[in-house]
Amino acid sequence: MSAQHDGTSRLTYSLATVPATLATDRPAHLYVVVSNSGPRDVLCQQISVVLPAGDLPKHLVPARQQVTVTAEPADQWTVDEIQDGVLLALPQDETAAFPAAEGTKVTVRPVNGEPVSPTTHGLLLRITDFRTNARAGTALLAIQETVSVDRGDTWEEHHVSLAVAKFPPAEALTADVVGDLALYEADAQGNPRSTPATLLKPDQKTVLTWTAPPDAVCDVYYGDKPPVQLTRQEKWQLPVTGITRDTHFRVRVTLKRSGETITHHLSTAVAVEEPAIDRLTVKSIKPSGPDNIDKTPYLRIEGAVVVDKACHVSGTLYGGMGTLTVGDSVVAKKDLTVGTDMNVTGAVASTGDITTDAQFRDAKGTPFRGQLS
């Protein structure tokens, strides 16, 4: 048994749009949240949403506009396209349909065909990836629900309308039209993954993404790269490679609105796990490694170190298990102790006594006895 009632509903519907203020002839997304806010249990068999299609101010999308519809929880609702402009979605334990008057018709139903109670779980419908039509005005989303309040003995149909306003781009420009700058790791196809990247490996492939109107001009600055300018993009993305150290990204978004230039600046940053720095100027380095034999922390450097100018060591200098070679004079303010052989290729001068148990040899290796001066 079924009955029809207009102007009321058993379920509660809320609408959100992205961007929050829709602009004409611009990409848009709609989100409809359905739940049971009343005092009685409700079984829902189907819900229909009408997207008014056409070129008039009362229409939301142009004629024959394709949309993408998904439902959450996804394991209880499915969405299938049954004909052009008509989508069928089935929840696991309930049927819901979304038809559009003079427009796109979407039908949502439970996965297993059994009615679902929105008292125990809500429903989120995502209607995405479409453009609004070119006329400013207010469109009405017509929602039709088929529900029961007596455990399925009788079914009622109720109708609800949700208003969606479309503004000219100049008036619709709000803060959320430009933003959401983030860096994502890239998948095998070069597309951004779902979670922003915060710590990268050197040279890891990434994608920089942000939100801006399609007619914007975007200049991207990062690292020591020349700025990259992008225009006429539906999805603002820039593949980024060669990140070897902590990097700051800045995007300048320029818009022309009503004869005026509007500029937004976006910024974000990412850290690199093992940064590579070609040139570094510092005033102080504080070691934090394990203690050496003098009970002071090590500053460990893996690999050779080249010093173009003077290197001043105020502490003890160790050669480790290898050989310490000094290319210039060695000045010892106190005793100079040599534990093994000391090979001298030139003269040895001393202002005091030199005491040694070793045998002296000339340049040919022949032992000699004589005075050292």
Side-chain angles (χ1 to χ4, degrees), residues 179-184 192 207-211 236-238 251 266:
D180 299 329
L181 180 66
L183 189 71
Y184 294 84
V207 181
L208 189 68
T209 71
W210 65 98
T211 301
W236 294 93
Q237 297 181 357
L238 178 66
V251 178
L266 310 176

Side-chain angles (χ1 to χ4, degrees), residues 89-371:
L90 303 177
Q92 280 188 348
D93 49 356
E94 170 186 29
T95 302
F98 295 79
E102 299 181 356
T104 299
K105 181 179 181 180
V106 180
T107 304
V108 181
R109 295 179 180 174
V111 170
N112 62 6
E114 295 296 328
V116 172
S117 172
T119 302
T120 57
H121 69 81
L123 169 64
L124 169 62
L125 296 176
R126 306 182 188 92
I127 306 172
T128 59
D129 298 330
F130 66 90
R131 294 178 72 92
T132 58
N133 71 4
R135 297 294 183 91
T138 300
L140 295 178
L141 268 67
I143 298 178
Q144 175 183 305
E145 65 180 22
T146 302
V147 296
S148 173
V149 293
D150 55 9
R151 300 176 182 266
D153 291 337
T154 59
W155 294 94
E156 306 170 352
E157 290 185 357
H158 303 284
H159 298 268
V160 180
S161 296
L162 299 178
V164 182
K166 303 166 295 170
F167 291 85
E171 284 71 21
L173 184 65
T174 55
D176 59 349
V177 173
V178 177
D180 299 329
L181 180 66
L183 189 71
Y184 294 84
E185 297 180 11
D187 60 19
Q189 289 73 38
N191 299 315
R193 298 184 184 275
S194 59
T195 304
T198 56
L199 184 63
L200 300 179
K201 297 184 181 298
D203 293 323
Q204 185 172 356
K205 293 183 179 180
T206 56
V207 181
L208 189 68
T209 71
W210 65 98
T211 301
D215 60 340
V217 177
C218 297
D219 297 283
V220 183
Y221 303 82
Y222 68 96
D224 55 0
K225 308 284 186 182
V228 178
Q229 187 173 96
L230 301 177
T231 59
R232 301 183 181 276
Q233 304 287 319
E234 289 288 346
K235 292 184 179 181
W236 294 93
Q237 297 181 357
L238 178 66
V240 177
T241 58
I243 301 297
T244 59
R245 61 183 178 181
D246 298 355
T247 301
H248 175 256
F249 296 88
R250 182 171 65 89
V251 178
R252 183 179 64 192
V253 181
T254 305
L255 299 165
K256 296 290 186 179
R257 294 291 184 266
S258 302
E260 297 184 359
T261 299
I262 302 174
T263 303
H264 294 264
H265 294 275
L266 310 176
S267 64
T268 189
V270 68
V272 175
E273 188 174 297
E274 298 177 359
I277 302 175
D278 296 333
R279 187 171 182 178
L280 181 66
T281 301
V282 297
K283 292 184 178 181
S284 176
I285 297 178
K286 183 178 180 180
S288 60
D291 289 349
N292 60 17
I293 60 176
D294 291 333
K295 303 302 181 182
T296 56
Y298 273 116
L299 174 64
R300 185 177 297 279
I301 301 176
E302 297 181 0
V305 177
V306 177
V307 180
D308 292 334
K309 296 183 179 180
C311 178
H312 298 269
V313 180
S314 59
T316 304
L317 180 64
Y318 295 97
M321 300 301 295
T323 301
L324 176 63
T325 302
V326 181
D328 207 335
S329 300
V330 176
V331 178
K333 297 298 184 179
K334 294 186 178 181
D335 295 343
L336 175 63
T337 301
V338 180
T340 58
D341 294 343
M342 181 174 68
N343 299 318
V344 180
T345 58
V348 177
S350 174
T351 57
D353 294 338
I354 296 179
T355 301
T356 178
D357 294 332
Q359 187 181 47
F360 291 98
R361 299 177 181 272
D362 59 18
K364 295 181 180 180
T366 304
F368 73 91
R369 293 183 181 274
Q371 184 178 7

Side-chain angles (χ1 to χ4, degrees), residues 9-14 33-42 118-119:
S9 65
R10 296 289 187 181
L11 302 177
T12 304
Y13 300 85
S14 297
V33 177
V34 186
S35 62
N36 180 13
S37 302
R40 304 180 65 179
D41 291 341
V42 177
T119 302

